[in-house]
């Protein structure tokens, strides 16, 4: 297994090299060299620090995603800056976000898991569809919007309805009805309703059992910790901040639908987007109605057979 570590601090790199001395490890303190190194050594995993003098980690990971998409990308950072975390979702499409100081056993387990996935699950090189593919996908696959703010609903209706099969839900119950009755490739959701109901637990459970569905979170209540959890346990595809802008929203939904459609053609790649809930999330999910979790588990898996995707 080949791993590339990128950090401007040599002592950090020495510690990481020692921790992974049983693997084929490459290190660099020069982020500009990282994309070429990733390609040259055909690495399986890239672990990159976020805050470096010459370049931000999210920018490095974005370039590596473009040049060497097979590598699984992990962002390592000692602080939780919202802009950086959003960039890790929207630009770097990171596999996991890890805070410094890390726990050695946890980081080893994560890198080994990522390396195994990188070798066994094919990469989706691009989410862009051809015009013909896009027309077919839009005709067959729906977009679900979970939002109880009527003003936001109307804005999204204006942006999306001329181009997609859009269905709206203002409660978890209505959302489940849509998911049970219609093939849905993209879920657009707030993190919470206006009445305070937490929607992130539902989004995490949906990704846990149906990782082929792309989730786009649109919120005005974003904070770094919530986004990190949605990366690590919800593999959120894009995170947009309200007010919703037509251009960025359309681009995000086009891309999300493309991701779903590409996974439909290559179901083995779904493993790249699987999640394992934390003990804290499992405890929180235990407070959800059993009927809701059971319905999420048993959603018709129109892509991969009855019972959902098992990863």
């Amino acid at each position: 297994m080949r791993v590339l570590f990128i950090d401007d601090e040599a002592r950090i790199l020495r510690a990481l090299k020692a921790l992974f001395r049983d693997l084929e490890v490459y290190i660099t303190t020069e982020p500009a060299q990282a994309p070429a190194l990733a390609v040259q050594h055909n690495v399986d995993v890239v672990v990159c620090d976020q805050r470096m003098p010459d370049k931000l980690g999210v920018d490095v990971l974005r370039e590596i995603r473009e040049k060497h998409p097979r590598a699984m990308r992990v962002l390592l950072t000692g602080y939780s800056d919202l802009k950086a975390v959003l960039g890790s979702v929207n630009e770097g499409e990171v596999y996991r976000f890890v805070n410094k100081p890390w726990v050695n056993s946890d980081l080893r387990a994560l890198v080994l898991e990522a390396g195994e996935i990188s070798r066994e699950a094919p990469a989706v090189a691009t989410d862009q569809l051809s015009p013909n593919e896009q027309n077919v996908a839009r005709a067959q696959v729906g977009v679900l919007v979970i939002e109880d703010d009527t003003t936001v609903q109307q804005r999204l209706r204006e942006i999306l309805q001329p181009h997609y099969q859009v269905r709206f839900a203002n409660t978890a119950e209505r959302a489940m009805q849509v998911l049970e009755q219609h093939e849905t490739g993209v879920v657009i959701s707030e993190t919470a309703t206006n009445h305070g109901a937490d929607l992130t637990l539902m989004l995490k459970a949906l990704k846990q059992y149906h990782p082929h569905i792309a989730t786009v979170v649109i919120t005005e209540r974003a904070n770094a910790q919530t986004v990190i959890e949605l990366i690590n346990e919800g593999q959120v595809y894009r995170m947009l901040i309200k007010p919703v802008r037509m251009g960025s929203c359309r681009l995000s939904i086009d891309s999300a639908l493309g991701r779903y459609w590409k996974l439909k053609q290559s179901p083995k790649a779904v493993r790249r987007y699987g999640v394992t809930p934390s003990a804290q999330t499992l405890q929180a999910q235990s407070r959800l109605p059993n009927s809701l979790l059971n319905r999420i588990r048993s959603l018709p898996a129109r892509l991969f057979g009855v019972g959902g995707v098992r990863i």
Side-chain angles (χ1 to χ4, degrees):
M1 187 177 295
R2 296 177 292 274
V3 185
L4 172 62
F5 293 103
I6 309 152
D7 199 300
D8 62 302
E9 295 188 55
R11 64 179 183 85
I12 296 291
L13 293 176
R14 287 195 297 269
L16 289 167
K17 192 168 185 178
L19 180 61
F20 292 93
R21 56 185 173 273
D22 54 325
L23 304 183
E24 191 174 331
V25 173
Y26 301 92
I27 59 174
T28 182
T29 57
E30 300 294 334
Q33 298 177 1
L37 287 172
V39 173
Q40 177 186 346
H41 299 292
N42 192 24
V43 298
D44 303 301
V45 184
V46 177
V47 181
C48 185
D49 185 39
Q50 166 61 11
R51 180 175 283 182
M52 296 179 287
D54 299 328
K55 210 167 196 177
L56 293 177
V58 292
D59 296 326
V60 176
L61 293 181
R62 183 188 66 246
E63 292 179 19
I64 290 174
R65 176 172 64 90
E66 293 169 354
K67 295 181 179 179
H68 187 52
R70 188 181 72 79
M72 303 293 281
R73 298 168 297 278
V74 177
L75 191 66
L76 191 65
T77 185
Y79 72 111
S80 297
D81 173 72
L82 180 59
K83 184 177 180 181
V85 178
L86 288 174
S88 71
V89 177
N90 297 334
E91 299 175 37
E93 288 191 16
V94 301
Y95 175 63
R96 294 291 186 268
F97 193 106
V98 177
N99 281 314
K100 292 179 179 177
W102 64 80
V103 177
N104 282 349
S105 58
D106 291 347
L107 185 59
R108 269 193 64 87
L110 172 61
V111 169
L112 292 174
E113 175 189 57
E116 180 184 339
I117 292 171
S118 176
R119 292 188 167 203
E120 295 182 359
V124 177
T126 176
D127 296 327
Q128 186 173 355
L129 300 179
S130 69
N132 182 60
E133 286 178 316
Q134 195 171 70
N135 290 336
V136 174
R138 289 179 179 180
Q140 293 185 13
V141 181
V143 174
L144 168 63
V145 177
I146 308 174
E147 173 64 69
D148 64 347
D149 186 313
T150 55
T151 302
V152 177
Q153 279 189 11
Q154 182 58 34
R155 177 60 175 158
L156 289 172
R157 187 173 279 108
E158 293 168 357
I159 294 172
L160 302 176
Q161 210 150 43
H163 310 283
Y164 312 96
Q165 296 184 57
V166 186
R167 299 175 178 90
F168 289 84
N170 56 9
T171 64
E173 170 60 30
R174 174 56 186 153
M176 289 306 306
Q177 291 174 3
V178 171
L179 290 167
E180 288 167 339
Q181 295 170 14
H182 304 278
E183 181 178 357
T184 302
V186 181
V187 173
I188 304 171
S189 178
E190 247 287 6
T191 57
T193 68
N194 286 332
H195 301 293
D198 183 3
L199 294 173
T200 62
L201 291 175
M202 179 179 177
L203 296 178
K204 291 175 185 178
L206 187 63
K207 182 60 70 169
Q208 180 183 349
Y209 294 104
H210 304 279
H212 51 286
I213 296 175
T215 305
V216 177
V217 172
I218 299 180
T219 184
E220 60 185 1
R221 294 181 279 260
N223 64 73
Q225 188 56 44
T226 297
V227 181
I228 289 171
E229 289 179 7
L230 285 170
I231 293 171
N232 290 346
E233 300 181 52
Q235 275 290 289
V236 60
Y237 182 75
R238 291 289 186 271
M239 191 102 180
L240 304 179
I241 303 300
K242 294 177 181 177
V244 180
R245 297 181 179 180
M246 179 178 291
S248 59
C249 184
R250 279 286 312 281
L251 285 172
S252 294
I253 304 311
D254 272 349
S255 186
L257 187 63
R259 167 65 56 81
Y260 175 87
W261 194 255
K262 290 295 180 73
L263 292 178
K264 187 169 184 172
Q265 315 307 317
S266 180
K268 288 184 178 180
V270 172
R271 192 178 177 202
R272 287 178 167 264
Y273 309 103
V275 296
T276 301
S278 66
Q280 184 178 3
T281 293
L282 287 174
Q283 184 177 13
Q285 285 180 348
S286 69
R287 297 193 294 270
L288 291 173
N290 284 333
S291 59
L292 179 63
L293 282 177
N294 288 335
R295 289 170 73 185
I296 290 174
R297 290 190 191 101
S298 60
L299 281 173
R302 293 176 175 83
L303 303 185
F304 311 107
V306 176
V309 179
R310 294 292 177 255
I311 56 175

